Amino acid sequence: MTAKKTLILGASENPDRYSYRALNSLVRQEHPVVAVGLREGRVAGVDILRAPAPFTDIDTVTLYLNPKNQEPYYDYILSLRPKRVVFNPGTENPALMSILRENGIVPEVACTLVLLATGQY
């Protein structure tokens, strides 16, 4: 397995949130993880930042924000030049998917937890 540096956009310290579960699963499978959320916090040794940071070498952005809340992050996501953006259930956004394709970034409608559990991440 190749480690894929991943940005969780919409990260949360709430154990009931899928972003929390995904962050833990990514760390367990030894993928480097960075996280941006509504509140600062820490999960599985990963700091959750409130403000987008200029991370480098991002392979995957996995979204846990509804389409309306994604809009302020469009330019940020593009600036990271990820290989792909995973649209988890409830985050599907045709407008952003189109922008990503135009910029050579693969939009993937999938569940990060399922991808990790089935070895397809």
Side-chain angles (χ1 to χ4, degrees):
M1 172 203 79
T2 304
K4 294 183 171 104
K5 187 172 179 182
T6 301
L7 166 63
I8 296 180
L9 200 49
S12 172
E13 282 187 301
N14 181 342
D16 295 332
R17 296 275 185 192
Y18 287 108
S19 64
Y20 176 93
R21 295 179 193 173
L23 196 157
N24 279 287
S25 291
L26 286 160
V27 168
R28 263 195 312 279
Q29 293 192 24
E30 300 180 358
H31 292 283
V33 179
V34 292
V36 173
L38 292 175
R39 291 179 201 85
E40 288 184 358
R42 192 165 174 85
V43 174
V46 175
D47 289 322
I48 299 172
L49 307 177
R50 277 198 68 218
F55 299 115
T56 57
D57 303 319
I58 298 292
D59 178 271
T60 302
V61 173
T62 185
L63 294 174
Y64 290 95
L65 297 171
N66 70 42
K68 183 168 178 24
N69 290 336
Q70 293 167 20
E71 290 176 18
Y73 294 101
Y74 286 10
D75 289 339
Y76 175 61
I77 293 168
L78 292 175
S79 76
L80 297 172
R81 305 294 310 152
K83 291 186 176 83
R84 68 177 173 168
V85 174
V86 176
F87 289 83
N88 287 282
T91 68
E92 299 88 346
N93 181 344
L96 179 54
M97 290 176 188
S98 178
I99 292 167
L100 293 171
R101 282 189 201 97
E102 289 168 11
N103 285 275
I105 300 166
V106 177
E108 186 173 346
V109 177
C111 174
T112 297
L113 289 168
V114 172
L115 293 174
L116 288 164
T118 57
Q120 298 177 73
Y121 194 79

